[in-house]
Every structure is written in C-alpha cells, then in structure tokens.
Amino acid sequence: MTIQQPDYNPSGVGEINGNIFGLPGDYESANLIVIAVPWEVTVSYGAGTANGPQQILDASIQLDLFDFDHPDGWKQGIFMMEIPQDICEKNAYYRTLAAKIIERLAQGQPLTATPDLTPILREINQASEQVNQWLFTQSQAAINKGKRVAVIGGDHSVPLGYFQALATKYPNYGILHIDAHADLRDAYEGFEFSHASIMFNGLKIPQISKLVQVGVRDICHEEVKIIDESNQRIIPYYDPMIKQKLYAGSTWIDLCREIISHLPEYVYISFDVDGLDPKLCPNTGTPVPGGLELEQTFCLFRELVKSGREIIGFDVCEVGDGEWDANVGGRIVYKLANFMDLSQINADDN
C-alpha cells in the first residue's frame, strides 16, 4: 500500500517538519515507523552515538528522495517517532556510572574493590533491560497495527527488544549483519546488554535461525570459537577473506549471492556502520580499518531483494555525532526503507 499525498512535491526543498526526510504524514497514516533509541551506556571506546538519531533526523532533509531502485519509495509513508528524551537523560546518567566500571576493569582491579561497583553494574543492567522492554512494547504495538518498524541507535545494543518483538510474529527468521565486530561476547565488561553482546543475546531467541555476518574484522578468540561451534547457525564472511577473494578475481555479485544463499525466507538487516570503511562514518563508536564501501552493501541488499526473500525489519546503529556520519546514516536508513518496501511488494505480488 502507498500513501496518497497529492500536495507533496518530492523534488521540493526539504521541509523541517519534525519528520525524517521532511516527509509528510503521521504515525497512523505511515506504513513504516522509525523508532529512535538514543542509548550508548556501555560503549567502551568512542562516545557520541546516542546523538546519532538526532543527527540523522537533522541531516535527512538534505537528501534527495529519488531512489534508483525504488523511485516511488517515499510514497510508502515513513514516520519517525519523537526521540524519547527520558531515554536521553537516563543514557547520560548511566553512561557516567558505566565509565567508572570500564575504568576499574582497565586498571585490572575487580569491581568488588573499594568502593564496590557491583551494585552500580546491577543498576545499569536493569536500566538496559528497561530500554529493551520499552522497544519491545513500541515495536510490537506498531507490528500489531500492520506496520513495519525500523530502529535507529544509539549503540548496537539497542535493537534487542525489536528482535524479540519480531519473534512473536515470525517463527523463523535470519539476520544479515553488517559489522566490523561479531558482537558475540557474553556480557562484555560485565554489561549484560553490551553493544558487544547484541548477537550473543539475539541468538538466545530460538526464532532466529541464522546469523550471516559480513565485514567482520575485529574479533576475539572466544567469538571465533562460538562461530565455529554454532553448527552453521552463524555464517561469517570475514572482511580479510572477502578482500582476498576479490583480489583473486571473484566478483562481488557472486559473493553477494553466496552470502544470501544462507538466509531463510524472512530476513532482518542489522547494520552497524562500523562495518563500512571508516572514511564513511569516522565518528562511529569503534572504527576499524578496512571494511565495505556503501555501494557494496547496497548491492548486497539489492541481490537480497532479487532473491525473493522478504526484509521484515532493520536497524542502523553506531552512527557517530558528526554531520558527515549523519549524512551517510540517513542515506542508509532511506535505502533500507526502500529495499524493505520493494521486498514486501514482491512478496505481495507472489
């Protein structure tokens, strides 16, 4: 279904109207609901991704809306809910507390040393669980109204509640994960819902049958062991191996098709922008040399749509607090919104 907006000119000047891309519409009329989660309490390197949703919103009105893959994509109806200020405030408070824990661990001291920081750790984990529950509730409410959902972080811990909401609708779905990191650490630095633990936590959801990771290049021994012992539930496409195959003459299109072949019918895309070359999002939380070009990821998603699989949701996380990062992040959000719409149009036609 497309939204009829006879008075809106997609070629006009972007309007600062509070909605992403300056698009018209509201929650009730939109087909895609964008939920901002300005949360980065557990970041262990660079901060600023909590401002990513606001930065993307501010930058989005500068984007032209013609999409070569889906010229009428803007008609689907895209609405971004108001950025929750209470989560912003809690993020600032708990981020300060988390920094004490991270510093203590970096000094090689136990949390139980004086002063004992274990009560603070419990408090942070409880606050993170509350954010997860909030997102689950918001996502499920939209899904129950027949809407699609997209999430903008914040750090990469934030989409867990959305994973859980999708699991109430889809008994079997896969995740296509773009990232420099595997995010398979168990409670990294003691934080149960760490940005480095999102896929470890996600795989506790039995409905997630497959995790295909693309671009990973910063990984620990324990994570490699989890992947190797996953009985093919996790399929890695490590960045050095991708590059080696391309240098040896493989085509990216062929690699894309191979990557997609591992995914089930329903696919969720989890896009951590540090999976890209850092020149594209230099202010991301944990930049790593190497990575993908933006058009490489769009090519992968294009082939995913062509395969007949259905994109059921997505997140864009770790967008740094910078104008250029926000420009790139906004383009990713819009492109994924259009690919998701295309995939569901194809599913309806079939």
Side-chain angles (χ1 to χ4, degrees):
M1 184 179 75
T2 59
I3 303 298
Q4 299 301 314
Q5 296 150 338
D7 297 330
Y8 179 73
N9 177 12
S11 298
V13 175
E15 182 181 340
I16 303 175
N17 61 1
N19 193 20
I20 195 164
F21 311 117
L23 289 168
D26 55 22
Y27 185 98
E28 293 303 322
S29 66
N31 285 314
L32 173 61
I33 304 301
V34 181
I35 304 175
V37 189
W39 187 259
E40 60 165 2
V41 168
T42 68
V43 292
S44 48
Y45 191 52
T49 62
N51 295 326
Q54 185 64 56
Q55 288 279 18
I56 287 175
L57 178 61
D58 293 344
S60 68
I61 60 168
Q62 301 298 327
L63 274 61
D64 280 320
L65 297 177
F66 183 89
D67 184 335
F68 288 96
D69 291 288
H70 194 11
D72 289 335
W74 64 272
K75 292 182 180 179
Q76 67 184 279
I78 302 172
F79 179 74
M80 182 172 175
M81 293 173 60
E82 186 175 350
I83 297 172
Q85 291 308 304
D86 60 329
I87 291 181
C88 287
E89 292 166 5
K90 289 177 182 177
N91 174 74
Y93 172 73
Y94 287 110
R95 176 79 192 104
T96 301
L97 295 182
K100 296 179 181 179
I101 291 173
I102 294 168
E103 183 180 5
R104 174 75 64 82
L105 293 174
Q107 292 171 347
Q109 299 295 318
L111 296 185
T112 51
T114 305
D116 186 355
L117 297 181
T118 53
I120 291 177
L121 178 61
R122 284 195 298 270
E123 187 179 350
I124 291 169
N125 285 337
Q126 288 169 359
S128 297
E129 173 58 33
Q130 289 169 1
V131 172
N132 293 338
Q133 184 59 46
W134 173 84
L135 180 59
F136 173 84
T137 301
Q138 297 294 329
S139 301
Q140 191 171 53
I143 290 169
N144 288 344
K145 288 190 172 185
K147 300 179 184 297
R148 307 161 192 159
V149 174
V151 169
I152 302 178
D155 71 29
H156 207 179
S157 70
V158 303
L160 184 60
Y162 184 23
F163 292 178
Q164 294 164 338
L166 285 170
T168 66
K169 180 176 180 180
Y170 298 96
N172 172 25
Y173 73 93
I175 296 179
L176 177 57
H177 177 205
I178 308 297
D179 206 321
H181 309 90
D183 292 345
L184 290 168
R185 292 176 180 266
D186 182 1
Y188 184 57
E189 297 178 321
F191 301 119
E192 184 179 355
F193 303 105
S194 168
H195 66 101
S197 304
I198 179 61
M199 294 306 163
F200 182 90
N201 291 327
L203 289 174
K204 295 176 183 177
I205 302 169
Q207 291 87 343
I208 298 175
S209 60
K210 191 74 72 170
L211 172 63
V212 180
Q213 303 186 302
V214 183
V216 172
R217 55 197 185 275
D218 197 17
I219 190 170
C220 74
H221 289 79
E222 288 181 359
E223 290 175 302
V224 172
K225 187 170 185 283
I226 287 172
I227 292 169
D228 290 345
E229 296 178 355
S230 72
N231 196 27
Q232 299 288 298
R233 190 182 181 198
I234 308 170
I235 305 291
Y237 279 82
Y238 299 118
D239 192 60
M241 285 62 175
I242 288 174
K243 298 290 173 44
Q244 191 70 19
K245 287 184 177 182
L246 294 177
Y247 300 153
S250 296
T251 69
W252 178 238
I253 286 285
D254 286 340
L255 275 175
C256 288
R257 292 170 182 166
E258 180 186 320
I259 290 166
I260 291 161
S261 71
H262 299 288
L263 290 162
E265 177 183 0
Y266 298 112
V267 179
Y268 177 96
I269 296 174
S270 191
F271 200 134
D272 183 329
V273 298
D274 69 27
L276 299 170
D277 186 307
K279 71 188 177 207
L280 293 163
C281 285
N283 296 299
T284 189
T286 315
V288 183
L292 301 165
E293 293 295 335
L294 189 59
E295 282 300 331
Q296 277 186 296
T297 65
F298 291 169
C299 178
L300 176 60
F301 304 150
R302 189 175 295 118
E303 291 301 311
L304 177 65
V305 174
K306 287 181 180 179
S307 76
R309 289 166 175 79
E310 187 173 336
I311 301 171
I312 60 172
F314 68 87
D315 65 72
V316 178
C317 293
E318 304 278 357
V319 174
D321 191 5
E323 188 175 6
W324 173 242
D325 302 67
N327 184 301
V328 172
R331 293 175 191 279
I332 296 170
V333 171
Y334 189 57
K335 196 69 174 178
L336 282 173
N338 288 336
F339 278 136
M340 180 159 64
D341 190 49
L342 273 178
S343 78
Q344 300 203 4
I345 290 171
N346 292 345
D348 291 341
D349 289 344
N350 294 331

